[in-house]
Amino acid sequence: MRDDKQTTHFGFRQVPVTEKAKLVRNVFDSVADQYDLMNDLMSFGIHRLWKRLTIFLSQVRYGERVLDLAGGTGDLTRLFHPRVGDKGEVVLADINAAMLRRGRDRLTDEGIVRGVRYAQVDAQCLPFEDDTFDCITIAFGLRNVTDKDKALASMYRVLKPGGRLLVLEFSKPTSELFGKVYDLYSFKLLPLMGKLVAGDPDSYRYLAESIRMHPDQNTLKGMMTKAGFERVEYFNLTQGVVAIHRGYKF
């Protein structure tokens, strides 16, 4: 039984474990309408390159089944769709209904209908059968999960043997000097952009804090290995601001 007094981090704050999911949901309810625009502004558009590299490293082929976990507004699903073709399937999944709805509307407007399903799910307890997917991606979502070890174990369970997990997430800059510049940008400019564009500086302050609380590259590699993944490796992007971790289930 979970101890109601157990706490976890929400940004830099300590909150009861039972409350974190609700707090995270409130953040993404708030930012959903401006999410794509803010991604472009915050990353100067580079997030599109990070996502394309994730697709490349996924090695997804025609006819495969892909789970785009924490898929939000559907950027990765949109890129996976032509790769899996009419014999494959992409499941766009997110715990947040507002984000999932925005992703579905966006893809439908673009004519992407066949071969895509939508599911509102919790990464910690995925409602899929064992050995279901050839590939799972989670982009900029793992840091918001309360129990990351439980989520990684759940992802491992629903992957087919030979399947792979790719985690695209903010990480730790490899240069101390660049890290200081990045801190200044994150804690000063991001909340200001959030205020001016989305009218919500607090949500973007949380996003900056959640990045700092996320495990660094080697720690996450160890967590994936502990969950059962093999040949785990990571690729630093933009001087380690972002990293792609890849692991296989054999």
Side-chain angles (χ1 to χ4, degrees):
M1 182 178 294
R2 174 174 282 173
D3 184 353
D4 290 338
K5 295 182 179 179
Q6 186 178 357
T7 63
T8 188
H9 61 82
F10 174 74
F12 290 160
R13 293 165 48 198
Q14 287 293 311
V15 299
V17 165
T18 53
E19 293 184 12
K20 179 170 179 176
K22 179 181 178 181
L23 292 169
V24 171
R25 182 174 66 247
N26 290 342
V27 167
F28 285 93
D29 282 346
S30 176
V31 305
D33 288 343
Q34 300 294 334
Y35 186 78
D36 293 320
L37 174 60
M38 283 298 296
N39 273 353
D40 282 332
L41 292 174
M42 288 188 300
S43 72
F44 306 102
I46 300 175
H47 75 98
R48 298 176 185 275
L49 176 59
W50 298 334
K51 290 170 181 173
R52 288 188 178 277
L53 285 169
T54 302
I55 298 293
F56 173 75
L57 291 170
S58 74
Q59 303 170 325
V60 163
R61 298 181 296 274
Y62 179 80
E64 291 192 325
R65 298 189 71 191
V66 177
L67 175 61
D68 178 12
L69 192 57
T73 57
D75 279 353
L76 289 182
T77 294
R78 182 172 174 268
L79 296 172
F80 275 127
H81 184 257
R83 282 185 169 245
V84 302
D86 55 7
K87 297 295 185 181
E89 181 182 62
V90 184
V91 177
L92 173 56
D94 203 291
I95 195 172
N96 184 274
M99 294 289 288
L100 191 62
R101 183 166 54 249
R102 188 160 183 82
R104 181 192 62 203
D105 291 347
R106 177 189 177 195
L107 294 178
T108 301
D109 288 346
E110 294 181 11
I112 300 174
V113 179
R114 295 185 59 184
V116 177
R117 287 197 298 125
Y118 302 90
Q120 186 175 358
V121 304
D122 184 342
Q124 299 171 130
C125 45
L126 294 172
F128 306 109
E129 295 183 0
D130 295 0
D131 307 334
T132 296
F133 297 100
D134 298 285
C135 181
I136 297 175
T137 57
I138 179 166
F140 305 116
L142 186 61
R143 72 180 189 280
N144 296 309
V145 175
T146 303
D147 190 332
K148 296 174 180 60
D149 289 320
K150 186 175 180 181
L152 290 169
S154 187
M155 294 178 218
Y156 184 86
R157 179 184 64 78
V158 302
L159 268 179
K160 296 178 182 179
R164 53 271 179 212
L165 167 67
L166 288 100
V167 180
L168 171 63
E169 189 56 89
F170 291 104
S171 202
K172 184 176 180 179
T174 55
S175 162
E176 183 176 348
L177 177 59
F178 186 79
K180 291 179 179 178
V181 175
Y182 181 51
D183 281 345
L184 180 64
Y185 169 76
S186 298
F187 292 109
K188 298 296 183 183
L189 292 183
L190 279 191
L192 179 60
M193 278 192 270
K195 179 180 180 180
L196 294 176
V197 177
D200 186 0
D202 291 339
S203 290
Y204 288 92
R205 187 173 295 108
Y206 158 73
L207 293 177
E209 292 176 357
S210 69
I211 291 168
R212 298 313 185 280
M213 299 301 292
H214 185 67
D216 65 18
Q217 290 92 325
N218 284 316
T219 301
L220 180 55
K221 179 180 178 180
M223 292 168 67
M224 290 175 65
T225 300
K226 180 181 176 182
F229 291 96
E230 299 181 41
R231 288 170 50 190
V232 179
E233 57 188 335
Y234 61 83
F235 307 85
N236 282 322
L237 309 177
T238 317
Q239 297 195 54
V241 166
V242 164
I244 300 172
H245 283 69
R246 181 173 64 182
Y248 295 83
K249 176 179 178 178
F250 293 116

